[in-house]
Amino acid sequence: MPPISILIKPSSSKCNLRCKYCFYNSLSEKRDTKDYGFMNEETITNLVKNILEYADDHCVFAFQGGEPTLIGLDFYRKVIELQKRYNHKGVRIENTIQTNGILIDEEWAKFFYENKFLIGVSLDGSKDINDGSRLDVNEKSTFNRVMNSIKLLDKYKVNYNILCVVSSYVARHIGKVYSFYKRNGFKFLQFMPCLDENEESKFYSLDNKKYGKFLKNLFDLWYEDFVKGERIDIRFFSNLVQMAAGYRSETCGMSGKCHCYFVVEGDGSIYPCDFYVTDNWLLGNVNNEKFKDIIISEKAEKFVYDSIYVDDKCRACDYFNLCRGGCRRWREPFEDVRPKLNKLCPAFKEFFKYADERIYELSLVLKR
């Protein structure tokens, strides 16, 4: 059985920030129940037991939100206790958490280090850029608080990466953002494009011209550092090099089709993907159903099957082996019950035409 990754939302859609482009806030508002509340002890116990009963070799517990630290540190202490209690098969367990960093203090940082958590910290660059879209519930700056939290992670030698949402403003200033990350020694970066989620996010979202230019500019900066031996891991580019070398992508959005990696909401409800935690894609509940039964359910199989179709134009593209059509979310709404071409297709074509020779050049280094 391949490694299993479970994305858990212990605080449901609760958050102490009001990011202008937040997709999960927009998504949760469309459900009958916006907020499922904090995950209780019965649910996390059933969840851990269920996962470790299903897993064979390797399992990732990934905590997101909302803001997953809002539930408090005692919840995660309980998670570690339960993992130790129910890991009868000796499964290799990894714990990760994606956080805005606001609540991290010495106690949190020490806990993360002692329990080998990998932390994803959301930070969109320098203060002026980050605070343009990432403010707290009182419309106050978050930058200094996040940077102080990162200093604590450094102090306790906690492994972390930085997640940047690529808004139109970030795209225009990627040189400044990249330089800021370099100055602060951030070596592991993820960039997630901002698409239209609501009326407010349209101000921040990208069109193909902006995103294509962003990818080319960022790649030039990354490639220049790479050949100088100053290597920074940008997840998208690293995955492209791996794919060019003949290896599988680490991210499902670059694999060419969906798979159900299970998202568990605060009440134990299970969904097939973080972008589809919606009423129509509810698969079951961890409190009364087994993962082994849900993965073969008709609805779960339909979710995967619907993503498999590839448009003939896409399949004939010179860059299909690197693009694979893109994430299902970027190919909606469906047309005649089939996913359309990636809405960012022109941007990716422009980028691959510009960078594919260098991508394949770097893949030869990986093959050695």
Side-chain angles (χ1 to χ4, degrees):
M1 184 183 294
I4 299 165
S5 183
I6 310 294
L7 197 155
I8 305 161
K9 295 182 175 292
S11 304
S12 191
S13 61
K14 292 181 177 66
C15 193
N16 47 1
L17 266 61
R18 290 295 180 269
C19 300
K20 306 297 184 183
Y21 48 59
C22 180
F23 90 88
Y24 202 71
N25 182 61
S26 176
L27 181 150
S28 63
E29 286 181 340
K30 298 173 184 176
R31 302 186 307 217
D32 288 342
T33 303
K34 173 179 171 58
D35 182 358
Y36 290 103
F38 289 122
M39 187 171 286
N40 61 33
E41 185 170 333
E42 178 184 6
T43 298
I44 188 58
T45 300
N46 288 333
L47 173 57
V48 172
K49 288 172 65 176
N50 208 332
I51 293 173
L52 294 178
E53 178 183 293
Y54 179 68
D56 279 339
D57 177 60
H58 179 207
C59 181
V60 178
F61 289 76
F63 298 92
Q64 282 195 7
E67 172 47 43
T69 60
L70 283 174
I71 197 169
L73 187 50
D74 284 345
F75 172 84
Y76 295 96
R77 292 191 176 106
K78 188 66 178 181
V79 168
I80 297 300
E81 175 193 324
L82 292 168
Q83 288 173 346
K84 292 176 179 177
R85 185 190 308 172
Y86 293 110
N87 191 11
H88 304 305
K89 294 188 287 185
V91 173
R92 181 162 58 92
I93 296 172
E94 291 184 49
N95 289 297
T96 75
I97 186 168
Q98 182 67 44
T99 175
N100 58 41
I102 299 297
L103 297 180
I104 294 176
D105 58 14
E106 297 260 356
E107 193 174 13
W108 277 98
K110 185 177 180 181
F111 171 84
F112 289 149
Y113 171 75
E114 290 174 345
N115 293 282
K116 300 179 180 178
F117 270 65
L118 172 63
I119 312 302
V121 181
S122 297
L123 180 69
D124 287 354
S126 55
K127 187 177 189 300
D128 57 327
I129 297 176
N130 179 80
D131 286 349
S133 52
R134 299 186 61 82
L135 299 174
D136 68 15
V137 293
N138 297 312
E139 298 290 310
K140 301 295 185 182
S141 169
T142 61
F143 177 81
N144 289 337
R145 284 175 282 176
V146 178
M147 290 299 291
N148 287 335
S149 294
I150 290 173
K151 289 177 182 177
L152 288 173
L153 297 179
D154 285 331
K155 175 181 176 180
Y156 284 93
K157 297 181 173 56
V158 178
N159 291 324
Y160 65 89
N161 57 55
I162 301 295
L163 173 65
C164 175
V165 176
V166 186
S167 65
S168 57
Y169 190 70
V170 167
R172 289 199 304 272
H173 298 280
I174 187 54
K176 182 177 181 179
V177 171
Y178 186 79
S179 295
F180 168 78
Y181 290 154
K182 279 186 64 177
R183 286 198 309 273
N184 285 276
F186 301 154
K187 299 293 187 181
F188 299 93
L189 309 175
Q190 295 185 60
F191 292 89
M192 184 174 71
C194 176
L195 300 181
D196 289 349
E197 303 294 348
N198 50 45
E199 285 302 314
E200 191 171 21
S201 70
K202 288 181 179 179
F203 178 77
Y204 298 90
S205 62
L206 297 160
D207 58 26
N208 278 284
K209 183 177 180 180
K210 292 174 184 174
Y211 192 53
K213 185 176 181 180
F214 159 79
L215 287 174
K216 292 191 293 184
N217 289 341
L218 179 61
F219 185 85
D220 282 344
L221 294 166
W222 176 78
Y223 180 82
E224 181 181 353
D225 282 343
F226 189 97
V227 297
K228 290 190 301 186
E230 300 175 10
R231 298 187 179 183
I232 293 176
D233 188 327
I234 295 179
R235 193 176 190 188
F236 178 60
F237 296 153
S238 297
N239 270 262
L240 289 176
V241 173
Q242 287 181 205
M243 293 167 69
Y247 300 103
R248 293 174 58 182
S249 168
E250 294 176 356
T251 59
C252 64
M254 298 172 68
S255 67
K257 69 173 186 178
C258 296
H259 66 275
C260 291
Y261 63 85
F262 295 132
V263 179
V264 184
E265 253 285 2
D267 69 336
S269 297
I270 303 170
Y271 303 85
C273 170
D274 195 24
F275 298 121
Y276 296 88
V277 186
T278 54
D279 294 335
N280 59 312
W281 282 113
L282 175 63
L283 301 179
N285 192 291
V286 72
N287 288 306
N288 48 45
E289 293 171 80
K290 299 291 187 182
F291 285 125
K292 64 182 179 65
D293 296 324
I294 291 175
I295 196 67
I296 60 172
S297 68
E298 183 177 342
K299 187 177 285 189
E301 290 185 344
K302 175 176 171 53
F303 181 79
V304 174
Y305 179 80
D306 285 352
S307 73
I308 293 174
Y309 173 78
V310 179
D311 189 284
D312 289 341
K313 293 178 183 177
C314 190
R315 196 180 296 279
C317 177
D318 292 338
Y319 310 114
F320 178 70
N321 285 339
L322 291 177
C323 178
R324 306 288 176 86
C327 176
R328 167 194 175 126
R329 176 176 174 242
W330 300 346
R331 294 186 287 156
E332 292 188 337
F334 284 9
E335 194 170 80
D336 296 327
V337 202
R338 290 175 169 176
K340 297 190 295 187
L341 283 175
N342 188 336
K343 64 182 67 176
L344 291 175
C345 177
F348 284 118
K349 274 190 174 180
E350 180 183 350
F351 167 66
F352 287 128
K353 182 178 180 181
Y354 181 77
D356 72 325
E357 287 187 8
R358 285 178 286 173
I359 290 171
Y360 280 100
E361 169 198 315
L362 295 177
S363 75
L364 298 177
V365 176
L366 188 61
K367 288 181 177 179
R368 291 186 193 136

